Amino acid sequence: MSAQAAAEDPTPSPNAAPLPPAAFHRWYGGWDPLDPTSIGPFMEGFDRPWWIIGGWSVEKWTGVSRSHEDMDISIFASDAEAFRLFLADRWTPWNMDDGWLRPFDHRFRIVGRTSSIWVRKNAQSAWVLDVPLTPDDGGRWTNKKLPGHAAPLDEVTWVADDGLRYLNPEIALFMKHQQAREKDRVDAATLRPRLDRHQQRWLRSAVAQVRPDHPWAVSPQP
């Protein structure tokens, strides 16, 4: 491949190994994330659906404070371009996919339907927002980790007393079912006892479809 072709090639190498956290920070910088008190003003004027996911959605449901490394919201993958245009020149979006980052601008407008958009002011600024994309099916929310699970957005999210929309707690916990990180295990210990019977039943059924041997699939919450 010529140097010019390499410079114009929009596809990062699939063989690129993810950087360890310290090296990633050195190359791409750290975080100074938004939170639920500032995400509303940040998203004001974006006329497509968006909702809070991850740790903040867990904390909102449980009422138990936890540490937060970033701020995660999600939008439909089909609205990624609308989000890029909404940010305009005020913010700098990047596309995160499988451990690599590249600009999400007029040069690289195609993003993976299951990738994320990271946002910061400029190259000298910290990241403020992580936006994992949710593939949508005709305007219906779909579950990236549970094939065949699709529903209207209103059925898989709820609006809290702060006026913001959050992912349902049982789905937020399902997304963490691999329990690979300590913070996921802490979230599970905090959140599972606070799920009602319907939510517990859904969680067991969902986990059983992807991990039949998982403790959550065979043991009801005491």
Side-chain angles (χ1 to χ4, degrees):
M1 179 182 293
S2 68
Q4 179 178 358
E8 295 174 350
D9 180 15
T11 306
S13 168
N15 298 318
L19 292 172
F24 191 96
H25 186 280
R26 181 169 69 88
W27 279 98
Y28 297 111
W31 283 84
D32 184 15
L34 300 170
D35 61 34
T37 67
S38 53
I39 187 61
F42 181 94
M43 295 296 290
E44 186 175 358
F46 183 65
D47 60 357
R48 310 295 176 90
W50 62 274
W51 55 99
I52 296 173
I53 62 174
W56 280 113
S57 67
V58 171
E59 178 171 317
K60 190 62 179 180
W61 183 266
T62 64
V64 177
S65 296
R66 68 191 291 285
S67 61
H68 298 275
E69 298 173 355
D70 55 15
M71 176 71 189
D72 298 305
I73 69 169
S74 189
I75 62 174
F76 288 137
S78 60
D79 290 332
E81 177 68 4
F83 184 60
R84 184 183 74 83
L85 295 176
F86 164 75
L87 296 173
D89 293 333
R90 297 171 295 129
W91 298 91
T92 305
W94 288 64
N95 184 211
M96 159 66 80
D97 196 348
D98 197 24
W100 51 256
L101 273 169
R102 71 175 179 189
F104 179 33
D105 61 9
H106 65 281
R107 298 168 297 167
F108 307 106
R109 293 174 56 184
I110 298 176
V111 297
R113 285 169 52 82
T114 59
S115 64
S116 295
I117 299 170
W118 283 20
V119 181
R120 62 183 176 182
K121 180 69 75 173
N122 52 50
Q124 288 76 44
S125 302
W127 304 100
V128 300
L129 183 62
D130 181 8
V131 187
L133 300 177
T134 294
D136 49 312
D137 180 9
R140 288 162 58 88
W141 175 95
T142 67
N143 193 323
K144 291 188 285 189
K145 296 189 177 183
L146 185 61
H149 181 204
L153 186 62
D154 286 346
E155 293 184 7
V156 295
T157 59
W158 62 290
V159 178
D161 55 5
D162 57 8
L164 301 178
R165 185 174 293 277
Y166 293 80
L167 186 65
N168 282 357
E170 70 276 16
I171 300 177
L173 190 52
F174 170 76
M175 298 298 184
K176 297 169 172 282
H177 74 270
Q178 293 184 357
Q179 297 288 279
R181 303 172 299 182
E182 176 60 23
K183 64 179 180 180
D184 294 336
R185 293 186 283 273
V186 172
D187 282 341
T190 304
L191 180 53
R192 281 188 73 207
R194 290 170 168 81
L195 298 179
D196 63 28
R197 289 184 178 180
H198 173 76
Q199 293 165 331
Q200 290 278 359
R201 187 164 53 249
W202 183 91
L203 180 63
R204 288 197 299 272
S205 174
V207 172
Q209 293 179 58
V210 295
R211 285 278 307 277
D213 61 337
H214 195 290
W216 297 356
V218 297
S219 302
Q221 174 68 31

